[in-house]
Amino acid sequence: MSNLLDSVLGSTVYDRDGDRVGKVKKIYVDNASGFPTWVAVSTGLFGRDALVPLAGAEHRRDHAALQVRVGKNQVKSAPYVVDDGNISQRSERELFEHYDIDPALSAWKTYGRPYGEVPVHNRGTSADRTAEGDDRDDAELRF
């Protein structure tokens, strides 16, 4: 994975309104395209992670922050996906429907460039990286 994706691991996730959601634990990459599509976020709710779409997300490396384009309530009510390192097609369809995302537009764009313009090599599974959360001061960030 690129340095950019590695820097996302452990980042604090903020919703579209700037409310803190949790910490990035994993990045899920589409097996067919090799594009990052989802992040597993530790929300503290019953010890389970929520899958959150990367489409339209903004990453602030200097603050270890990732702002997503969905609301905190959507994240809390997202369908539960068994964490076996892969997302089934059925589960992904449920997630796309839940977050009202067009699957054709689900690849993460960052710094104004689609990931397709920067090579991201498929690692053979849809998720391979994890990060331990840290206890950074989570001051409100402006994106």
Side-chain angles (χ1 to χ4, degrees):
M1 274 192 223
S2 74
N3 288 337
L4 174 63
L5 293 181
D6 288 339
S7 72
V8 171
L9 291 170
S11 292
T12 301
V13 177
Y14 296 89
D15 76 353
R16 65 178 166 231
D17 298 320
D19 293 328
R20 186 182 188 284
V21 176
K23 298 264 185 186
V24 176
K25 288 180 62 180
K26 294 182 182 178
I27 299 171
Y28 286 80
V29 175
D30 184 272
N31 284 334
S33 70
F35 295 163
T37 312
W38 305 96
V39 288
V41 177
S42 174
T43 62
L45 296 174
F46 309 110
R48 73 175 182 105
D49 298 337
L51 290 182
V52 179
L54 278 170
E58 292 181 47
H59 181 236
R60 295 270 314 265
R61 243 187 244 217
D62 55 336
H63 293 289
L66 180 72
Q67 185 168 26
V68 295
R69 297 291 171 229
V70 297
K72 190 173 187 174
N73 287 335
Q74 277 183 296
V75 174
K76 287 181 178 181
S77 64
Y80 176 72
V81 176
V82 175
D83 182 14
D84 65 355
N86 292 296
I87 302 171
S88 71
Q89 289 180 349
R90 178 181 176 183
S91 293
E92 191 166 43
R93 279 192 304 271
E94 290 173 4
L95 289 164
F96 284 139
E97 184 176 306
H98 174 76
Y99 287 113
D100 194 28
I101 292 175
D102 180 347
L105 303 174
S106 63
W108 186 32
K109 293 183 179 184
T110 185
Y111 306 114
R113 295 170 47 179
Y115 252 93
E117 293 177 15
V118 179
V120 175
H121 301 288
N122 188 346
R123 301 287 189 194
T125 64
S126 56
D128 290 315
R129 299 287 180 130
T130 62
E132 294 298 322
D134 58 28
D135 294 317
R136 290 188 185 124
D137 181 17
D138 295 320
E140 181 176 334
L141 298 175
R142 303 235 186 260
F143 284 84

